């Protein structure tokens, strides 16, 4: 939604609304300015809700309307998105199957998947050049042949995980893990179980 509506080099200033969003990831302050690429990095590497809200605030059209139109266009009948941060809401829901379809749709967006493969990053405030260090919430990066992925957590959803692994030179394994007490343990169990010789396409799990 962001890539369709904003240039990666566009500068976005953090509003009070964005900084007041639940969570401190990114350690942002009101009035700081970053590029869209930097805020995407904070959102996808360290799960910054502030960055997600700031990007939504800067988008000329409603991000939620765009996302839910895309959901309809993709035929995802069991998915609804009500918040740009993904925080708990009665109208936030999806299935593992629908989420994998979104993953497949997004694979052409190489910048998103490049960012989701970063173990850490540093972004700089546009005017003061103050650095903000970011560390990935994805503990499997650098292990198990993972290409990229994204974690999630709320009290209601519990631990969640979306990831793609290279399990052989010509085969990839896609994982969607929902409602987990230990997403990384579950992911490793599924990776260990998967026999590369028997996998011809993405494996769906949730």
């Amino acid at each position: 939604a962001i890539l369709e509506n904003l240039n990666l080099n566009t500068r976005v200033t953090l509003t009070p609304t964005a900084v007041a969003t639940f969570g401190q990831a990114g350690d942002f302050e009101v009035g700081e300015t970053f590029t869209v690429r930097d805020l995407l990095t904070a959102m996808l590497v360290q799960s910054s809700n502030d960055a997600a809200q700031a990007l939504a605030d800067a988008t000329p059209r409603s991000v939620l309307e765009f996302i839910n139109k895309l959901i309809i266009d993709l035929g995802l009948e069991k998915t609804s998105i009500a918040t740009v941060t993904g925080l708990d809401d009665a109208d936030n829901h999806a299935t593992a199957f629908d989420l994998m379809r979104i993953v497949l749709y997004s694979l052409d967006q190489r910048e998103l998947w490049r960012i989701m493969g970063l173990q850490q990053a540093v972004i700089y405030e546009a005017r003061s050049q103050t650095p903000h260090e970011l560390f990935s919430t994805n503990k499997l990066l650098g292990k198990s042949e993972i290409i990229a992925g994204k974690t999630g957590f709320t009290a209601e959803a519990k631990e969640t995980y979306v990831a793609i692994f290279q399990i052989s030179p010509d085969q990839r394994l896609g994982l969607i893990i929902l409602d987990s007490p230990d997403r990384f343990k579950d992911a490793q169990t599924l990776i260990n179980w998967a026999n590369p010789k028997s996998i011809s396409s993405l494996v769906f799990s949730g």
Side-chain angles (χ1 to χ4, degrees):
I2 297 303
L3 293 179
E4 288 285 342
N5 289 282
L6 292 173
N7 185 288
L8 286 172
N9 295 317
T10 297
R11 292 185 176 187
V12 174
T13 298
L14 275 291
T15 64
T17 299
V19 175
T21 305
F22 178 80
Q24 300 298 317
D27 195 25
F28 295 116
E29 296 182 5
V30 175
E32 287 189 308
T33 298
F34 297 86
T35 65
V36 169
R37 178 183 281 105
D38 285 345
L39 290 175
L40 276 174
T41 301
M43 185 177 76
L44 297 174
V45 171
Q46 198 164 312
S47 293
S48 172
N49 293 326
D50 293 4
Q53 188 63 57
L55 289 168
D57 291 344
T59 304
R61 56 197 285 197
S62 169
V63 169
L64 287 176
E65 286 182 8
F66 183 95
I67 291 172
N68 282 292
K69 181 180 184 303
L70 178 60
I71 287 170
I72 294 171
D73 292 344
L74 292 177
L76 308 182
E77 298 180 355
K78 297 182 179 180
T79 295
S80 173
I81 306 298
T83 64
V84 297
T85 60
L87 294 172
D88 283 334
D89 186 284
D91 291 325
N92 270 345
H93 55 81
T95 64
F97 186 80
D98 277 3
L99 288 172
M100 184 56 77
R101 291 175 70 184
I102 293 173
V103 167
L104 294 172
Y105 173 82
S106 72
L107 287 179
D108 288 339
Q109 300 286 2
R110 296 187 179 183
E111 183 65 7
L112 293 183
W113 286 93
R114 182 193 70 79
I115 293 171
M116 285 189 281
L118 297 174
Q119 290 181 267
Q120 61 185 65
V122 180
I123 61 175
Y124 296 88
E125 202 280 330
R127 290 166 294 192
S128 67
Q129 291 299 295
T130 301
H132 288 242
E133 291 187 275
L134 306 170
F135 298 93
S136 178
T137 57
N138 186 352
K139 294 181 181 179
L140 291 185
L141 283 175
K143 305 175 183 177
S144 305
E145 304 302 322
I146 183 172
I147 296 171
K150 181 71 188 74
T151 63
F153 175 81
T154 68
E156 186 174 354
K158 299 185 177 63
E159 294 189 9
T160 63
Y161 191 42
V162 174
I164 296 177
F165 297 83
Q166 191 80 40
I167 57 174
S168 74
D170 60 350
Q171 292 176 317
R172 292 181 175 183
L173 175 70
L175 298 178
I176 306 289
I177 296 174
L178 305 177
D179 192 27
S180 171
D182 189 335
R183 57 192 165 214
F184 300 124
K185 181 179 179 180
D186 288 344
Q188 194 63 63
T189 297
L190 289 168
I191 294 163
N192 294 341
W193 165 82
N195 179 354
K197 294 181 180 179
S198 68
I199 296 175
S200 59
S201 61
L202 290 170
V203 173
F204 295 77
S205 174

